[in-house]
C-alpha cells in the first residue's frame, strides 16, 4: 500500500501540473509548457492506460488506498474525458444485460456534482463519489461481475519516453 500510495501521490502531482498548465492561456508560453503540451499529445495512450488500470483496481481488486487512487484519477479523467466515456461503455458492455443499466448509473454517479477543476473541495467530492461507486459495485454487481482482462502492463520503453 505504501508504494502505491507514493506512486499515486507522484502521479497526482504530475497530472495536476499538466492539467493546470494545459488550461492556462499564456501568450508568453515558456518552452517547458510548449514541450509539456507536445508530450501530452504524443503520450496520451500512457494516460489512458493509467486510467484503465486505476478503474480496474477500484472495480475488481481490493483497493486499500482508495483515497490516494482517487486523486490522480480525477485529473486523468478531466484530461481524457472522451476516453473515459469509451472506457465506461466498455466496462458496461462486459456486464450481463440485466446489470448494464446499474453499472451505467454507477459510472454516472461517479462524476455527479464534480466540476472540471482540481480544487480540493472538488477532489473531495470525487473521492466521496468513488467510495459510493465502489460500495454500489460490491453491493449490487460483485456476485455476477465479469472481470475483464487486466490492462496491459506498460512497456518500460514507453514510460521512459514519457519521462525524457
Amino acid at each position: 500500500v505504501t508504494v502505491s500510495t507514493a506512486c499515486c501521490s507522484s502521479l497526482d502531482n504530475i497530472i495536476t501540473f499538466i492539467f493546470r498548465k494545459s488550461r492556462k492561456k499564456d501568450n508568453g508560453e515558456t518552452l517547458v509548457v510548449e514541450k509539456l503540451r507536445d508530450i501530452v499529445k504524443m503520450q496520451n495512450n500512457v494516460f489512458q492506460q493509467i486510467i484503465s488500470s486505476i478503474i480496474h483496481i477500484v472495480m475488481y481488486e481490493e483497493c486499500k488506498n482508495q483515497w490516494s487512487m482517487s486523486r490522480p484519477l480525477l485529473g486523468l479523467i478531466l484530461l481524457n474525458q472522451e476516453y473515459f466515456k469509451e472506457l465506461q461503455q466498455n466496462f458496461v458492455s462486459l456486464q450481463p444485460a440485466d446489470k448494464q443499466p446499474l453499472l451505467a448509473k454507477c459510472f454516472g454517479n461517479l462524476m455527479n456534482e464534480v466540476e472540471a477543476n482540481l480544487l480540493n473541495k472538488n477532489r473531495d467530492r470525487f473521492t466521496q463519489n468513488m467510495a459510493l461507486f465502489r460500495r454500489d459495485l460490491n453491493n449490487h454487481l460483485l456476485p455476477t461481475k465479469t472481470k475483464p482482462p487486466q490492462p496491459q502492463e506498460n512497456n518500460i520503453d514507453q514510460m521512459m519516453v514519457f519521462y525524457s
Side-chain angles (χ1 to χ4, degrees):
V1 172
T2 304
V3 172
S4 65
T5 299
C7 290
C8 286
S9 178
S10 297
L11 181 59
D12 183 43
N13 287 329
I14 294 167
I15 296 302
T16 299
F17 178 80
I18 291 170
F19 181 82
R20 288 187 176 144
K21 292 297 182 183
S22 69
R23 298 293 189 246
K24 189 182 257 188
K25 299 291 183 210
D26 187 4
N27 293 337
E29 255 183 20
T30 65
L31 183 59
V32 172
V33 173
E34 194 175 304
K35 290 287 184 189
L36 178 65
R37 287 194 177 134
D38 291 342
I39 290 170
V40 169
K41 287 177 187 172
M42 291 178 356
Q43 297 298 323
N44 201 39
N45 63 325
V46 172
F47 295 130
Q48 292 173 354
Q49 289 175 342
I50 295 170
I51 293 172
S52 297
S53 295
I54 293 175
I55 292 290
H56 186 275
I57 290 167
V58 168
M59 288 180 71
Y60 297 108
E61 297 178 18
E62 189 173 338
C63 183
K64 294 183 180 182
N65 58 344
Q66 189 172 292
W67 184 91
S68 297
M69 292 209 162
S70 73
R71 296 327 223 194
L73 183 58
L74 176 58
L76 286 164
I77 289 171
L78 294 176
L79 287 169
N80 295 279
Q81 292 180 30
E82 288 303 313
Y83 176 75
F84 183 64
K85 288 176 187 175
E86 291 173 24
L87 188 66
Q88 290 177 52
Q89 293 169 351
N90 289 338
F91 276 113
V92 168
S93 70
L94 292 172
Q95 294 299 312
D98 63 323
K99 300 290 184 181
Q100 289 180 3
L102 181 58
L103 184 56
K105 183 179 179 190
C106 289
F107 269 112
N109 290 342
L110 183 60
M111 298 304 289
N112 189 33
E113 295 182 27
V114 174
E115 298 173 8
N117 66 58
L118 295 178
L119 298 175
N120 284 334
K121 182 178 179 181
N122 198 49
R123 288 176 185 258
D124 290 343
R125 166 57 62 193
F126 179 76
T127 301
Q128 291 170 356
N129 288 355
M130 195 165 101
L132 295 173
F133 173 79
R134 186 167 165 78
R135 184 201 66 198
D136 290 345
L137 289 177
N138 286 325
N139 288 343
H140 303 293
L141 298 173
L142 185 62
T144 59
K145 279 196 287 194
T146 304
K147 186 174 179 178
Q150 189 161 358
Q152 291 180 334
E153 291 187 24
N154 294 327
N155 180 332
I156 193 68
D157 293 332
Q158 274 186 319
M159 296 303 288
M160 295 311 289
V161 168
F162 175 72
Y163 292 109
S164 59

